[in-house]
Short mmCIF file of all heavy atoms in Angstrom, two decimals:
data_model
loop_
_atom_site.label_atom_id
_atom_site.label_comp_id
_atom_site.label_asym_id
_atom_site.label_seq_id
_atom_site.Cartn_x
_atom_site.Cartn_y
_atom_site.Cartn_z
N PHE A 15 5.95 -27.32 -11.13
CA PHE A 15 7.05 -26.36 -11.01
C PHE A 15 8.05 -26.84 -9.97
O PHE A 15 9.28 -26.76 -10.18
CB PHE A 15 6.48 -24.99 -10.61
CG PHE A 15 7.53 -23.98 -10.25
CD1 PHE A 15 8.40 -23.46 -11.18
CD2 PHE A 15 7.67 -23.55 -8.92
CE1 PHE A 15 9.38 -22.53 -10.83
CE2 PHE A 15 8.65 -22.62 -8.56
CZ PHE A 15 9.51 -22.12 -9.53
N LEU A 16 7.60 -27.31 -8.82
CA LEU A 16 8.49 -27.78 -7.78
C LEU A 16 9.29 -29.00 -8.20
O LEU A 16 10.40 -29.21 -7.71
CB LEU A 16 7.74 -28.08 -6.48
CG LEU A 16 7.34 -26.90 -5.61
CD1 LEU A 16 6.65 -27.39 -4.35
CD2 LEU A 16 8.54 -26.04 -5.25
N LEU A 17 8.71 -29.82 -9.07
CA LEU A 17 9.45 -30.97 -9.59
C LEU A 17 10.54 -30.53 -10.55
O LEU A 17 11.56 -31.22 -10.71
CB LEU A 17 8.50 -31.92 -10.30
CG LEU A 17 7.56 -32.79 -9.41
CD1 LEU A 17 6.58 -33.54 -10.28
CD2 LEU A 17 8.38 -33.78 -8.55
N SER A 18 10.34 -29.44 -11.23
CA SER A 18 11.23 -29.02 -12.31
C SER A 18 12.51 -28.35 -11.80
O SER A 18 12.53 -27.81 -10.67
CB SER A 18 10.51 -28.04 -13.23
OG SER A 18 10.44 -26.75 -12.65
N PRO A 19 13.56 -28.34 -12.59
CA PRO A 19 14.81 -27.67 -12.21
C PRO A 19 14.64 -26.16 -12.01
O PRO A 19 15.47 -25.54 -11.35
CB PRO A 19 15.75 -27.96 -13.39
CG PRO A 19 15.20 -29.18 -14.06
CD PRO A 19 13.71 -29.08 -13.87
N ALA A 20 13.57 -25.58 -12.54
CA ALA A 20 13.33 -24.13 -12.41
C ALA A 20 13.16 -23.72 -10.96
O ALA A 20 13.39 -22.55 -10.62
CB ALA A 20 12.11 -23.72 -13.23
N SER A 21 12.79 -24.65 -10.09
CA SER A 21 12.58 -24.31 -8.68
C SER A 21 13.76 -24.75 -7.82
O SER A 21 13.61 -25.02 -6.62
CB SER A 21 11.30 -25.01 -8.18
OG SER A 21 11.41 -26.42 -8.28
N HIS A 22 14.94 -24.79 -8.39
CA HIS A 22 16.10 -25.41 -7.76
C HIS A 22 16.50 -24.83 -6.42
O HIS A 22 17.16 -25.50 -5.63
CB HIS A 22 17.30 -25.36 -8.72
CG HIS A 22 17.79 -23.97 -8.99
ND1 HIS A 22 17.22 -23.18 -9.96
CD2 HIS A 22 18.79 -23.24 -8.43
CE1 HIS A 22 17.85 -22.01 -9.98
NE2 HIS A 22 18.80 -22.03 -9.06
N TRP A 23 16.14 -23.58 -6.09
CA TRP A 23 16.56 -22.97 -4.83
C TRP A 23 15.48 -23.04 -3.78
O TRP A 23 15.61 -22.50 -2.67
CB TRP A 23 17.02 -21.54 -5.06
CG TRP A 23 17.88 -20.98 -3.97
CD1 TRP A 23 17.65 -19.85 -3.24
CD2 TRP A 23 19.10 -21.52 -3.44
NE1 TRP A 23 18.64 -19.63 -2.32
CE2 TRP A 23 19.57 -20.66 -2.41
CE3 TRP A 23 19.87 -22.65 -3.73
CZ2 TRP A 23 20.73 -20.90 -1.70
CZ3 TRP A 23 21.02 -22.89 -3.03
CH2 TRP A 23 21.43 -22.02 -2.02
N ILE A 24 14.36 -23.73 -4.06
CA ILE A 24 13.32 -23.92 -3.06
C ILE A 24 13.54 -25.29 -2.41
O ILE A 24 13.44 -26.32 -3.06
CB ILE A 24 11.91 -23.86 -3.70
CG1 ILE A 24 11.71 -22.53 -4.43
CG2 ILE A 24 10.84 -24.04 -2.62
CD1 ILE A 24 10.38 -22.42 -5.15
N LYS A 25 13.88 -25.27 -1.11
CA LYS A 25 14.24 -26.50 -0.39
C LYS A 25 13.67 -26.48 1.02
O LYS A 25 13.87 -25.51 1.74
CB LYS A 25 15.78 -26.62 -0.36
CG LYS A 25 16.44 -26.60 -1.73
CD LYS A 25 17.95 -26.61 -1.63
CE LYS A 25 18.57 -26.49 -3.04
NZ LYS A 25 20.06 -26.55 -3.01
N GLY A 26 12.99 -27.54 1.39
CA GLY A 26 12.45 -27.65 2.73
C GLY A 26 11.29 -26.73 3.03
O GLY A 26 10.98 -26.47 4.18
N ALA A 27 10.61 -26.26 1.99
CA ALA A 27 9.51 -25.30 2.17
C ALA A 27 8.16 -26.00 2.15
O ALA A 27 8.00 -27.04 1.55
CB ALA A 27 9.57 -24.25 1.09
N ASP A 28 7.19 -25.38 2.83
CA ASP A 28 5.79 -25.79 2.69
C ASP A 28 5.05 -24.63 2.06
O ASP A 28 5.10 -23.51 2.56
CB ASP A 28 5.15 -26.13 4.04
CG ASP A 28 3.68 -26.50 3.87
OD1 ASP A 28 3.41 -27.60 3.32
OD2 ASP A 28 2.80 -25.70 4.29
N ILE A 29 4.38 -24.89 0.93
CA ILE A 29 3.71 -23.82 0.20
C ILE A 29 2.20 -24.06 0.25
O ILE A 29 1.70 -25.10 -0.18
CB ILE A 29 4.18 -23.80 -1.27
CG1 ILE A 29 5.69 -23.56 -1.34
CG2 ILE A 29 3.42 -22.75 -2.09
CD1 ILE A 29 6.28 -23.70 -2.72
N ALA A 30 1.49 -23.07 0.82
CA ALA A 30 0.04 -23.16 0.89
C ALA A 30 -0.58 -22.76 -0.43
O ALA A 30 -0.19 -21.77 -1.06
CB ALA A 30 -0.49 -22.24 2.01
N ILE A 31 -1.55 -23.56 -0.89
CA ILE A 31 -2.30 -23.25 -2.13
C ILE A 31 -3.77 -23.31 -1.72
O ILE A 31 -4.43 -24.33 -1.85
CB ILE A 31 -2.00 -24.27 -3.25
CG1 ILE A 31 -0.47 -24.47 -3.41
CG2 ILE A 31 -2.61 -23.81 -4.56
CD1 ILE A 31 -0.11 -25.56 -4.35
N ASP A 32 -4.26 -22.20 -1.19
CA ASP A 32 -5.60 -22.23 -0.57
C ASP A 32 -6.43 -21.00 -0.89
O ASP A 32 -7.40 -20.72 -0.20
CB ASP A 32 -5.44 -22.37 0.95
CG ASP A 32 -4.68 -21.22 1.59
OD1 ASP A 32 -4.37 -20.24 0.88
OD2 ASP A 32 -4.39 -21.32 2.80
N GLY A 33 -6.07 -20.25 -1.93
CA GLY A 33 -6.87 -19.09 -2.28
C GLY A 33 -6.89 -17.98 -1.26
O GLY A 33 -7.75 -17.11 -1.28
N GLY A 34 -5.93 -18.02 -0.31
CA GLY A 34 -5.88 -16.99 0.72
C GLY A 34 -6.53 -17.39 2.02
O GLY A 34 -6.52 -16.61 2.99
N MET A 35 -7.10 -18.59 2.11
CA MET A 35 -7.83 -18.98 3.33
C MET A 35 -6.97 -18.92 4.59
O MET A 35 -7.41 -18.44 5.64
CB MET A 35 -8.39 -20.40 3.15
CG MET A 35 -9.39 -20.54 2.04
SD MET A 35 -9.91 -22.27 1.85
CE MET A 35 -10.74 -22.20 0.25
N GLY A 36 -5.74 -19.39 4.47
CA GLY A 36 -4.84 -19.34 5.62
C GLY A 36 -4.56 -17.91 6.05
O GLY A 36 -4.53 -17.63 7.28
N ALA A 37 -4.36 -17.03 5.10
CA ALA A 37 -4.10 -15.62 5.40
C ALA A 37 -5.30 -14.98 6.10
O ALA A 37 -5.15 -14.21 7.05
CB ALA A 37 -3.75 -14.85 4.15
N PHE A 38 -6.50 -15.29 5.61
CA PHE A 38 -7.70 -14.71 6.21
C PHE A 38 -7.79 -15.11 7.68
O PHE A 38 -8.05 -14.29 8.56
CB PHE A 38 -8.97 -15.20 5.49
CG PHE A 38 -8.99 -15.01 4.00
CD1 PHE A 38 -9.76 -15.83 3.19
CD2 PHE A 38 -8.25 -14.01 3.40
CE1 PHE A 38 -9.79 -15.66 1.82
CE2 PHE A 38 -8.27 -13.83 2.03
CZ PHE A 38 -9.04 -14.67 1.24
N ASN A 39 -7.60 -16.40 7.96
CA ASN A 39 -7.71 -16.91 9.31
C ASN A 39 -6.60 -16.37 10.22
O ASN A 39 -6.84 -16.07 11.38
CB ASN A 39 -7.69 -18.45 9.32
CG ASN A 39 -8.94 -19.04 8.68
OD1 ASN A 39 -10.00 -18.41 8.67
ND2 ASN A 39 -8.83 -20.22 8.12
N GLN A 40 -5.42 -16.23 9.67
CA GLN A 40 -4.30 -15.72 10.44
C GLN A 40 -4.54 -14.25 10.79
O GLN A 40 -4.28 -13.79 11.92
CB GLN A 40 -2.99 -15.87 9.67
CG GLN A 40 -1.76 -15.54 10.49
CD GLN A 40 -0.47 -15.88 9.75
OE1 GLN A 40 -0.44 -15.94 8.53
NE2 GLN A 40 0.60 -16.08 10.51
N SER A 41 -5.05 -13.51 9.84
CA SER A 41 -5.37 -12.09 10.09
C SER A 41 -6.42 -11.95 11.18
O SER A 41 -6.29 -11.11 12.08
CB SER A 41 -5.89 -11.45 8.79
OG SER A 41 -6.24 -10.10 9.03
N ASP A 42 -7.44 -12.82 11.12
CA ASP A 42 -8.47 -12.80 12.16
C ASP A 42 -7.88 -13.11 13.54
O ASP A 42 -8.14 -12.42 14.51
CB ASP A 42 -9.56 -13.84 11.85
CG ASP A 42 -10.39 -13.48 10.62
OD1 ASP A 42 -10.28 -12.33 10.14
OD2 ASP A 42 -11.12 -14.37 10.14
N ALA A 43 -7.05 -14.18 13.59
CA ALA A 43 -6.52 -14.64 14.87
C ALA A 43 -5.57 -13.61 15.50
O ALA A 43 -5.51 -13.47 16.73
CB ALA A 43 -5.79 -15.95 14.66
N MET A 44 -4.85 -12.87 14.66
CA MET A 44 -3.86 -11.94 15.17
C MET A 44 -4.39 -10.50 15.25
O MET A 44 -3.67 -9.59 15.69
CB MET A 44 -2.62 -11.96 14.29
CG MET A 44 -1.92 -13.32 14.26
SD MET A 44 -0.52 -13.38 13.12
CE MET A 44 0.64 -12.28 13.96
N GLY A 45 -5.64 -10.32 14.85
CA GLY A 45 -6.23 -8.98 14.91
C GLY A 45 -5.51 -7.97 14.05
O GLY A 45 -5.17 -6.87 14.51
N LEU A 46 -5.27 -8.32 12.81
CA LEU A 46 -4.46 -7.48 11.92
C LEU A 46 -5.27 -6.45 11.13
O LEU A 46 -4.75 -5.83 10.22
CB LEU A 46 -3.68 -8.37 10.93
CG LEU A 46 -2.73 -9.38 11.55
CD1 LEU A 46 -1.99 -10.13 10.44
CD2 LEU A 46 -1.73 -8.70 12.49
N GLU A 47 -6.53 -6.27 11.51
CA GLU A 47 -7.38 -5.36 10.75
C GLU A 47 -6.78 -3.96 10.64
O GLU A 47 -6.92 -3.26 9.63
CB GLU A 47 -8.78 -5.27 11.38
CG GLU A 47 -9.56 -6.57 11.32
CD GLU A 47 -9.25 -7.49 12.48
OE1 GLU A 47 -8.34 -7.17 13.28
OE2 GLU A 47 -9.90 -8.55 12.59
N THR A 48 -6.08 -3.51 11.71
CA THR A 48 -5.53 -2.16 11.72
C THR A 48 -4.40 -1.96 10.71
O THR A 48 -4.04 -0.84 10.37
CB THR A 48 -5.00 -1.80 13.12
OG1 THR A 48 -4.01 -2.75 13.50
CG2 THR A 48 -6.13 -1.80 14.13
N LEU A 49 -3.85 -3.06 10.20
CA LEU A 49 -2.77 -2.97 9.23
C LEU A 49 -3.28 -2.79 7.79
O LEU A 49 -2.51 -2.50 6.89
CB LEU A 49 -1.89 -4.22 9.27
CG LEU A 49 -1.11 -4.44 10.56
CD1 LEU A 49 -0.32 -5.74 10.49
CD2 LEU A 49 -0.17 -3.29 10.84
N ARG A 50 -4.60 -2.97 7.62
CA ARG A 50 -5.15 -2.88 6.29
C ARG A 50 -5.17 -1.45 5.80
O ARG A 50 -5.35 -0.51 6.57
CB ARG A 50 -6.57 -3.47 6.26
CG ARG A 50 -6.63 -4.95 6.57
CD ARG A 50 -8.05 -5.44 6.69
NE ARG A 50 -8.06 -6.84 7.12
CZ ARG A 50 -9.15 -7.44 7.62
NH1 ARG A 50 -10.28 -6.77 7.77
NH2 ARG A 50 -9.09 -8.70 7.99
N MET A 51 -5.01 -1.29 4.49
CA MET A 51 -5.10 0.04 3.89
C MET A 51 -6.55 0.57 4.03
O MET A 51 -7.50 -0.23 3.99
CB MET A 51 -4.72 -0.02 2.40
CG MET A 51 -3.25 -0.32 2.18
SD MET A 51 -2.80 -0.27 0.45
CE MET A 51 -3.61 -1.75 -0.15
N PRO A 52 -6.70 1.84 4.19
CA PRO A 52 -8.07 2.40 4.28
C PRO A 52 -8.88 2.07 3.03
O PRO A 52 -8.32 2.01 1.92
CB PRO A 52 -7.81 3.92 4.38
CG PRO A 52 -6.40 4.04 4.85
CD PRO A 52 -5.66 2.87 4.30
N ALA A 53 -10.14 1.85 3.24
CA ALA A 53 -11.03 1.54 2.10
C ALA A 53 -11.07 2.75 1.18
O ALA A 53 -11.09 3.90 1.59
CB ALA A 53 -12.43 1.21 2.61
N GLN A 54 -11.04 2.44 -0.13
CA GLN A 54 -11.10 3.48 -1.11
C GLN A 54 -12.25 3.22 -2.10
O GLN A 54 -12.62 2.08 -2.33
CB GLN A 54 -9.78 3.57 -1.90
CG GLN A 54 -8.59 3.95 -1.04
CD GLN A 54 -7.32 3.99 -1.82
OE1 GLN A 54 -7.23 3.45 -2.91
NE2 GLN A 54 -6.31 4.64 -1.29
#
């Protein structure tokens, strides 16, 4: 997709493809548990 013209406005970006691993670790490091929606 990034090679194709369809992504023409994406420039200078780094895109993580990690199944959410980076988000999990960032949430842990920043203590973001309080931002989560209540369990349902």
